[in-house]
């Protein structure tokens, strides 16, 4: 049975078609049927009143850890997808550091199969080397054919320059991006946080900026004659932003992403040995936060990605050095980006949406996802830019609650998430006539 959904009176922003106007959007049979003013309510099966809200293409997160297979006590594809729609995301791309790794057609098929019952669209980034060991490249061409939307050994860097060159050479003809977790391992052994005054005071091993920067510098040089699409994951240091800015200035096919925590936190979050502030790469200093925000503002950083990394309580409730790296991010990302980038004046709403929709869609070859056009997929996120809320454990809909943002007040929140025309999340807006919770 065909179902018609009408979204009424919101500010519709679609960077691809350069639309930014108050109007209505009608969805039918999984597609955008009409965009315009005063669309008829007759025949609509459901109506979402969106006055005061932003209506945009469904948000896309190109970097999440769904932990399945092998880490189902932390998250599953299904539970991670619930966290995604809670945060306004209609599409996520999961990383290959599972057990076994996403390095074969069989494991990609398993993710695709489990993804069918997910609340959002799920795509897989495949491992670049067998078992993510950094030694022998996977059958890259075959994995691309089997639906891999990118390649990465995320969680680990490809340390060997020789293997890196092979991988870049093999990924280049697939037109997928290679995504690097930039961490020179011999410079970070025993490290559990940013190397600086706080790590010295706490007596913890430090992870210096240069360990990220030398990998980016090396890869940009290696790739110069190969021309693979090269993507820096979760950039954390001011120096890294500078290297990427220079490479892009030369016209090289280099992109990079920033995560909510690197745009908002410093190493002081680790004070008191708070293991929920332990992530990899680590949060650094305010000058790095400012450089990242400036990198977003000037177009050096073109993609926002949460690096949603769930861990069970017992994996964080331990001493700082033993605790797992990573934090959940899907449910809190939007409000943190608004604080770091829109409220700070780095970018406007239109650009923020671009960074969270069509830019990640381009990175992972997902278009026409990432735009809102008649005839295109009915993936829509409705955002109340004024809604203020305080993050509580109940707001985290995935299996894990390892977040340093619990108790933090955020402004700007998704109030409806629609995937392929299906309303997968709808939140009550206080004082709004016609709004219901579902
Ligand atoms: Zn990583």
């Amino acid at each position: 049975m065909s179902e018609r959904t009408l979204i009424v009176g919101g500010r519709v922003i679609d960077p691809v078609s350069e639309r930014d106007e108050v109007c209505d959007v009608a969805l039918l049979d999984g597609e955008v049927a009409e965009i315009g003013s005063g669309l008829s309510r007759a025949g609509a099966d459901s109506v979402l009143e969106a006055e005061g809200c932003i209506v945009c293409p469904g948000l896309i997160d190109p970097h999440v850890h769904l932990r399945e297979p092998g880490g189902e006590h932390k998250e599953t594809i299904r539970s991670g997808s619930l966290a995604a729609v809670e945060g306004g995301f209609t599409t996520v791309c999961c990383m290959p550091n599972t057990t076994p790794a996403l390095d074969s057609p069989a494991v990609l098929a398993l993710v695709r199969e489990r993804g069918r019952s997910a609340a959002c669209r799920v795509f897989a980034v495949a491992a670049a080397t067998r078992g993510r060991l950094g030694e022998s490249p996977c059958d890259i061409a075959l994995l691309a054919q089997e639906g891999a939307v990118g390649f990465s050994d995320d969680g680990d860097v490809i340390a060997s320059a020789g293997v890196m060159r092979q991988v870049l050479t093999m990924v280049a003809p697939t037109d997928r991006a290679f995504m690097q977790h930039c961490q020179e391992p011999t410079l970070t052994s025993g490290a559990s946080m940013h190397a600086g005054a706080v790590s010295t005071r706490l007596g913890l091993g430090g992870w210096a900026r240069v360990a990220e920067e030398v990998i980016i510098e090396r890869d940009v040089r290696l790739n110069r004659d190969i021309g693979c699409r090269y993507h820096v994951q979760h950039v954390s240091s001011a120096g890294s932003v500078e290297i990427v800015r220079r490479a892009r200035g030369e016209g090289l096919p280099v992109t990079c992403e920033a995560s909510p925590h690197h745009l908002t936190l410093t190493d002081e979050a680790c004070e008191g040995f708070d293991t929920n502030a332990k992530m990899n790469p680590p949060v650094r200093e305010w000058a790095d936060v400012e450089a990242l925000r400036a990198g977003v503002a000037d177009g050096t950083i073109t993609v926002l990605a949460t690096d949603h990394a769930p861990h069970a309580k017992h994996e964080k409730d331990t001493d700082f050095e033993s605790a797992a790296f990573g934090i959940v991010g899907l449910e809190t990302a939007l409000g943190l980006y608004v604080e770091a980038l829109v409220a700070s004046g780095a970018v406007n709403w239109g650009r923020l949406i671009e960074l969270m929709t069509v830019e990640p869609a381009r990175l992972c070859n997902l278009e026409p996802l990432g735009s809102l056009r008649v005839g295109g997929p009915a993936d829509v996120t409705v955002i109340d830019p004024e809604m203020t809320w305080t993050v509580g454990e109940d707001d985290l809909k995935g299996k894990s609650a390892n977040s340093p943002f619990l108790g933090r007040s955020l402004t700007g929140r998704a109030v409806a998430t629609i995937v392929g025309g299906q309303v997968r999340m709808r939140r009550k807006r206080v004082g709004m006539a016609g709004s219901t919770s579902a």
Side-chain angles (χ1 to χ4, degrees), residues 202-220:
L202 297 178
L204 293 169
W207 193 141
R209 296 179 183 88
V210 70
E212 179 176 272
E213 295 157 5
V214 292
I215 293 295
I216 304 174
E217 191 81 62
R218 178 200 76 176
D219 290 349
V220 167

Side-chain angles (χ1 to χ4, degrees), residues 8 24 103 160 169 177 199 245 282 288 319 333 369 375 388 421:
V8 180
D24 307 335
D103 65 354
S160 156
T169 305
S199 67
R245 181 177 290 121
D288 299 285
D319 64 282
L369 296 179
T388 296

Side-chain angles (χ1 to χ4, degrees), residues 376-391:
D379 286 18
V380 185
T381 301
V382 182
I383 298 165
D384 183 341
E386 306 296 337
M387 183 180 282
T388 296
W389 59 293
T390 301
V391 183

Side-chain angles (χ1 to χ4, degrees), residues 63 65 95 97 152-157 180-183 233-234 257 280-281 307:
H63 186 155
H65 298 273
M95 288 296 143
N97 58 337
S152 176
D153 273 3
D154 185 42
D156 290 289
V157 69
Q180 183 77 291
H181 170 108
C182 305
Q183 177 183 7
Q233 299 185 297
H234 42 50
E257 71 188 31
N280 188 7
D307 191 11

